[in-house]
Amino acid sequence: MAFDLDAVRKEFPILSRQIDGSPLVYLDSGNTSQKPRRVIDAMTDFLENSYAPINRSSYRLAGEATEAFEAGRRAVARLVNASSPDEIIFTKNATESMNLIARSWGGANLGEGDVVLLTHMEHHANIVPWQMLRDERGIEIRWVPLTADGQLDLTDLDRLLDGAKVFSFTAMSNVLGTIPPVAKLCAAAHDAGALAVVDACQYVPHNATDVQAWGADLVAFSSHKMCGPSGIGMLWGRLELLDAMPPFLGGGNMIDTVTLDGYTTAPVPAKFEAGTPPIVEAVGLRAAVEFLEDLDMSDIRQHEMDLTRYALDTLNGRFGDEITIYGPDDVAVRGGVLSFAFRDLHPHDVSQVLDERNVCVRAGHHCAKPLMQVLGVQSTTRASFYLYNGTDDVDALADALAGATDIFGF
Amino acid sequence: MPGLEDLYREIILDHYRTPRNRGELESPPAIETRGHNPLCGDEITLYLLVDGEGDDAIVSDVKIGGQGCSISQSSASMMTQAVIGKPVSQAYALIRRFKTMMGIEGYDEQPGDADVAMGDLEALQGVVKFPVRIKCAVLGWNTLAEALDRAGV
Ligand SMILES: Cc1ncc(COP(=O)(O)O)c(C=O)c1O
């Protein structure tokens, strides 16, 4: 079935909202996505009819709630082609998933002088947890640099990976949109004897994902960027690896038994899910996954590639030298994220002027300050697309940008 | 909804296009203080020279470096004009008045504060209607407060 933008839009109640009499042009999905009706309904229905604790009580209602929660796990496992639902761990967000990796795997396996390889286009979530380990135990962090058009410069990859114990990289940059060759990078990591960690937070919502085909070891992603609710994140890991990793947070649910003298851990995934998990959120997430599956991830990706091509051509065509769009021009290796500099205007001022026309974009460093340094800018304006965006949104963005110069007069 | 004209008043745009007292001062003797807005990454470097001691201390010069949006830049530019040549006590009074104008609590005006002229700074009043921009407007002021504290006169 061909991608039907109008039908998709009808599923998102917020898109019919008007502010000051004009429609919402939501171009901030790289930050967080809007929610379709079925996600909202699934959560409301669960809260009204089936809410109860999970994994703890033996009455029927609790069993029903546990089943609904676990259905969320199964849906996620299917979406990313995990070999078992037990390989999916629910966290609070992708940031917590990254911290789990650094604390648990890193805590058990990394010491003074051990090398972790990152790239210049990482989100703070894939930088700071490693820097914390560096400060505590003296690991070394190396960086894969970028080419002029914002792709990973892999010329020296072998040398950078030499002796590395972890290679942790994003599958799609939240600033440049760059999609690196993930499977190739995982293979290179393994050839060097390093663990392959993928921050797939921006990738999973927009692309068909197969963690086994990637050959990755650990993959972090988040519900709120893929039409699901906020408050629940995911970590996928190979079962043997997760089994071998020590627990992250301690408390209820993650134990097998506790005595006055100590504790033993539950098997995965419970081992990494201390305390009451995001129950309602898992139910909403399942509805989000089913929504995406019904539309088909490859059709979504195609729609976004077409839209990104249109956006690059429209903005470059209309503004020429006055706009600098960062990242690769080839939409085969970039997602629908456009960070740009516009005239001499500061991103804050650009986004303020766009907001006047209900065009919602993000201005700032996008939680990637090291990348801003590499690009030689303090901040950028970023428009990011999702399945509900169309060429009309891009036109609205371009029209609003054209209006910005009138105000600042340079 | 408040319109853009409430935010981008002509005097603000003028200070943005032609910022006053931009540059550096040799430090020491000047006190160099950096401020930044962790949300958007805006950065400011403020150089402060104070003459005299105690009640006689005067803000003799201020220069501003760094990058920021029209609101943070113009606010800092107007601030330099308002405080240069003024007693340190009045600079503190201005900080209290400005922050109060921005709707920030905890800066109770003290006796005499109301007599300190706000001048062009009144133009920034419209920022209050755009809550996310308040942090931009106060960046320079927070940096000045820190510099004055460090001067410790
Ligand atoms: C590439 C990337 N990694 C990690 C994160 C953090 O995700 P979360 O907000 O779910 O913790 C984000 C979201 O901003 C992101 O874009």
Side-chain angles (χ1 to χ4, degrees):
Chain A
M1 192 192 78
F3 190 82
D4 182 349
L5 179 60
D6 288 335
V8 168
R9 283 180 169 169
K10 287 207 182 76
E11 306 250 8
F12 290 81
I14 204 167
L15 296 181
S16 56
R17 168 152 187 216
Q18 303 212 326
I19 300 181
D20 282 344
S22 53
L24 198 61
V25 180
Y26 188 75
L27 298 178
D28 201 16
S29 298
N31 221 333
T32 196
S33 74
Q34 295 298 350
K35 317 304 171 201
R37 165 66 65 200
R38 349 179 170 179
V39 169
I40 301 165
D41 286 351
M43 294 171 80
T44 308
D45 178 60
F46 180 75
L47 282 166
E48 287 178 354
N49 297 300
S50 311
Y51 186 76
I54 60 148
N55 292 344
R56 288 181 187 177
S57 305
S58 54
Y59 45 89
R60 276 167 295 167
L61 189 67
E64 212 178 282
T66 304
E67 166 52 25
F69 177 77
E70 290 302 328
R73 197 190 305 281
R74 290 196 296 273
V76 173
R78 201 171 58 231
L79 183 74
V80 299
N81 195 30
S83 44
S84 151
D86 289 346
E87 294 185 331
I88 302 294
I89 289 154
F90 285 137
T91 59
K92 175 174 79 196
N93 48 34
T95 302
E96 188 180 298
S97 302
M98 293 306 304
N99 278 274
L100 190 165
I101 294 169
R103 286 284 133 193
S104 167
W105 195 91
N109 295 287
L110 296 178
E112 171 104 35
D114 284 337
V115 173
V116 172
L117 180 62
L118 307 175
T119 85
H120 274 166
M121 60 178 191
E122 298 311 314
H123 185 279
H124 294 167
N126 189 26
I127 297 177
V128 182
W130 304 112
Q131 289 178 332
M132 288 164 73
L133 272 188
R134 179 182 63 190
D135 295 348
E136 277 166 31
R137 47 177 79 190
I139 65 167
E140 183 194 336
I141 298 176
R142 291 183 195 153
W143 305 90
V144 179
L146 301 181
T147 61
D149 73 338
Q151 302 200 53
L152 292 183
D153 181 350
L154 301 175
T155 326
D156 280 337
L157 185 64
D158 289 344
R159 191 180 53 77
L160 288 166
L161 271 173
D162 189 25
K165 285 206 165 169
V166 179
F167 184 14
S168 185
F169 56 91
T170 184
M172 175 174 146
S173 161
N174 66 317
V175 176
L176 304 168
T178 310
I179 299 176
V182 178
K184 183 177 150 185
L185 298 182
C186 290
H190 290 156
D191 286 347
L195 188 78
V197 177
V198 184
D199 173 358
C201 211
Q202 294 286 341
Y203 188 94
V204 174
H206 307 278
N207 299 269
T209 304
D210 184 335
V211 292
Q212 298 189 64
W214 273 350
D217 294 309
L218 296 165
V219 177
F221 49 115
S222 225
S223 154
H224 69 96
K225 293 191 202 280
M226 48 185 272
C227 297
S230 57
I232 184 165
M234 289 74 82
L235 169 65
W236 168 84
R238 285 189 297 105
L239 206 52
E240 324 80 78
L241 186 65
L242 293 173
D243 274 339
M245 283 162 56
F248 170 48
L249 302 174
N253 199 53
M254 52 74 71
I255 49 95
D256 179 35
T257 182
V258 186
T259 65
L260 290 177
D261 298 322
Y263 71 95
T264 54
T265 53
V268 289
K271 179 169 80 175
F272 293 108
E273 295 180 348
T276 302
I279 303 172
V280 189
E281 288 74 9
V283 171
L285 173 59
R286 173 192 174 186
V289 169
E290 289 172 353
F291 172 72
L292 294 173
E293 285 173 334
D294 285 354
L295 286 168
D296 193 308
M297 289 311 303
S298 30
D299 287 349
I300 293 172
R301 169 69 178 141
Q302 186 61 50
H303 168 72
E304 291 181 18
M305 287 207 315
D306 295 346
L307 186 58
T308 305
R309 182 72 269 152
Y310 179 81
L312 289 167
D313 292 345
T314 302
L315 295 174
N316 283 322
R318 275 181 74 168
F319 301 112
D321 290 347
E322 292 173 335
I323 196 164
T324 306
I325 303 176
Y326 301 100
D329 183 65
D330 180 2
V331 296
V333 292
R334 102 174 269 162
V337 174
L338 267 71
S339 285
F340 57 89
F342 185 65
R343 296 181 169 137
D344 281 336
L345 297 181
H346 190 282
H348 250 177
D349 293 315
V350 173
S351 72
Q352 188 84 57
V353 174
L354 299 190
D355 183 41
E356 182 84 347
R357 301 190 185 209
N358 284 345
V359 178
C360 308
V361 296
R362 179 166 174 188
H365 52 61
H366 318 295
C367 300
K369 283 193 94 170
L371 174 56
M372 296 291 116
Q373 271 167 30
V374 169
L375 297 176
V377 297
Q378 205 178 37
S379 57
T380 69
T381 307
R382 180 186 74 180
S384 50
F385 307 133
Y386 206 7
L387 69 175
Y388 36 69
N389 292 120
T391 53
D392 52 346
D393 294 324
V394 173
D395 293 339
L397 168 68
D399 291 345
L401 280 173
T405 3
D406 301 344
I407 293 178
F408 294 95
F410 45 44
Chain B
M1 180 184 137
L4 284 183
E5 62 286 356
D6 292 321
L7 186 64
Y8 296 126
R9 307 271 295 275
E10 192 45 45
I11 178 97
I12 293 176
L13 294 175
D14 178 60
H15 276 267
Y16 178 43
R17 289 185 203 114
T18 330
R20 323 296 198 268
N21 299 304
R22 259 198 90 78
E24 298 178 12
L25 294 173
E26 198 185 332
S27 55
I31 293 167
E32 179 183 336
T33 308
R34 281 163 200 274
H36 79 285
N37 181 342
L39 280 181
C40 63
D42 280 4
E43 283 162 357
I44 190 173
T45 308
L46 183 142
Y47 302 85
L48 168 72
L49 264 185
V50 173
D51 265 355
E53 299 274 328
D55 289 348
D56 297 330
I58 299 264
V59 176
S60 55
D61 205 358
V62 179
K63 289 254 187 287
I64 302 283
Q67 284 175 27
C69 66
S70 59
I71 300 301
S72 73
Q73 293 288 291
S74 62
S75 180
S77 170
M78 291 185 206
M79 176 186 82
T80 62
Q81 286 194 317
V83 298
I84 290 173
K86 298 275 164 51
V88 167
S89 58
Q90 274 196 25
Y92 274 119
L94 262 176
I95 293 170
R96 285 192 294 271
R97 285 207 67 185
F98 187 78
K99 290 203 161 188
T100 306
M101 183 172 94
M102 288 296 115
I104 298 172
E105 289 173 13
Y107 290 87
D108 297 337
E109 293 197 7
Q110 296 180 12
D113 282 9
D115 303 333
V116 180
M118 294 288 280
D120 290 351
L121 289 165
E122 301 274 7
L124 283 161
Q125 190 133 37
V127 175
V128 185
K129 296 180 197 151
F130 298 84
V132 282
R133 302 305 290 275
I134 291 174
K135 280 205 167 68
C136 311
V138 297
L139 177 62
W141 296 82
N142 286 336
T143 314
L144 175 64
E146 196 188 320
L148 289 168
D149 289 349
R150 282 174 55 198
V153 288

